[in-house]
Amino acid sequence: GAVVSQHPSRVICKSGTSVKIECRSLDFQATTMFWYRQFPKKSLMLMATSNEGSKATYEQGVEKDKFLINHASLTLSTLTVTSAHPEDSSFYICSARDPGLASYNEQFFGPGTRLTVL
Amino acid sequence: GENVEQHPSTLSVQEGDSAVIKCTYSDSASNYFPWYKQELGKRPQLIIDIRSNVGEKKDQRIAVTLNKTAKHFSLHITETQPEDSAVYFCAASIGDSGYALNFGKGTSLLVTP
C-alpha cells in the first residue's frame, strides 16, 4: 500500500517557539493531504485539508495563523505550529490520498508526531 | 458542525465471540464510510470501507452495514481473536467529496483468550 512518513516523530520545545512537522508521501503523489490532532485515548480531530498548489482548508475552530500549512509539492505538506504553548501539546498525524488508486477515497496515515511544549 | 457518534466506547469479548460497533452520522451528504483500526502506538489502518450506494460489504471476518435512511453504519467482527484487540474508529466523509473525514471517538476492543 501507499506509504506516508512524518518527521520528526517526537519534538519537545519551549513555549513561544515555532515547530515544523513534515508529512511526505513516499511512493505516490498526493494532491490532498490531511492534518489531524489526536488527544490521548481520543479520536482524530480533522484540523485542515492541505491542497497542493492552493491554500489549505481549515476546519471550524482551528486558527489558520496558528497552524500554518504549506503543500508546495505533490509529495510534501508541512504543518508549522507557531508560537507554541503548552496547550498545543498533542499528537499530530497526517494522512494522504493516492488519487491513482481505485480506492481513491482511502487515506493513508503517517506515524504521527508527538509535540510537547514546555 | 456535522459529527459522528460511535458506541460503545469500550467493548470486551471472549475469543471466538462476535463484536459489533455502531456509528451514526448527521451529514446527509456523506457518501463514504471507512473503518480504521489503531493498535497502541501505531498509525490507523483502514480495515474496511463502504460507499453509500451499497448496503453491506464483507471481507472475511469483517463486515460493515450501512443504513443511509437512518444514517447509521456498523462494524461486525466475527470469530474474534486476541490480535483484534485495538481501538476502532468509524468515519464519515464530510459532504459528498468523499475526501475529508469526520471520525467517531473510537471503540477500545479487548478480546480475551
Side-chain angles (χ1 to χ4, degrees):
Chain A
V3 180
V4 176
S5 71
Q6 262 181 262
H7 178 81
S9 59
R10 191 179 293 268
V11 58
I12 300 173
C13 68
K14 291 182 179 179
S15 187
T17 60
S18 294
V19 174
K20 181 185 282 188
I21 303 169
E22 294 184 346
C23 178
R24 292 182 186 273
S25 55
L26 298 186
D27 52 0
F28 66 99
Q29 294 184 329
T31 52
T32 309
M33 290 183 172
F34 305 90
W35 287 96
Y36 296 88
R37 188 169 174 176
Q38 187 173 31
F39 294 97
K41 299 185 179 180
K42 296 287 186 184
S43 187
L44 295 136
M45 185 192 79
L46 179 65
M47 298 175 66
T49 301
S50 172
N51 302 297
E52 188 270 335
S54 64
K55 291 183 180 180
T57 304
Y58 290 82
E59 294 302 303
Q60 192 173 14
V62 178
E63 300 174 60
K64 57 183 177 183
D65 295 329
K66 171 78 172 173
F67 300 100
L68 300 178
I69 291 173
N70 185 282
H71 193 155
S73 78
L74 287 170
T75 59
L76 173 65
S77 175
T78 60
L79 168 68
T80 301
V81 183
T82 62
S83 186
H85 290 285
E87 57 265 31
D88 298 323
S89 298
S90 190
F91 189 65
Y92 292 88
I93 190 166
C94 71
S95 70
R97 286 177 51 243
D98 182 351
L101 289 182
S103 58
Y104 55 86
N105 288 99
E106 182 176 354
Q107 291 185 25
F108 298 92
F109 283 85
T113 297
R114 172 73 59 195
L115 170 64
T116 303
V117 184
L118 302 176
Chain B
E2 309 291 357
N3 60 5
V4 177
E5 299 288 332
Q6 182 171 348
H7 299 280
S9 57
T10 60
L11 179 60
S12 182
V13 298
Q14 283 204 311
E15 183 177 3
D17 287 350
S18 296
V20 180
I21 303 170
K22 298 182 179 182
C23 287
T24 60
Y25 62 98
S26 57
D27 185 352
S28 56
S30 296
N31 62 357
Y32 174 65
F33 308 91
W35 286 88
Y36 282 85
K37 176 183 180 181
Q38 187 176 28
E39 296 177 63
L40 191 62
K42 296 190 176 181
R43 70 190 78 189
Q45 299 271 14
L46 180 73
I47 55 170
I48 196 167
D49 57 10
I50 193 167
R51 298 184 196 283
S52 58
N53 57 347
V54 176
E56 185 173 358
K57 184 177 178 181
K58 191 173 181 180
D59 182 4
Q60 298 183 341
R61 297 187 296 110
I62 296 172
V64 57
T65 58
L66 170 65
N67 183 325
K68 275 218 78 172
T69 304
K71 295 198 188 76
H72 65 70
F73 56 113
S74 302
L75 177 71
H76 304 253
I77 305 175
T78 58
E79 300 170 37
T80 54
Q81 302 164 1
E83 49 266 38
D84 293 331
S85 298
V87 178
Y88 291 80
F89 294 99
C90 65
S93 62
I94 298 173
D96 59 4
S97 70
Y99 300 157
L101 299 171
N102 269 331
F103 280 81
K105 292 192 187 311
T107 296
S108 180
L109 173 65
L110 177 64
V111 181
T112 54

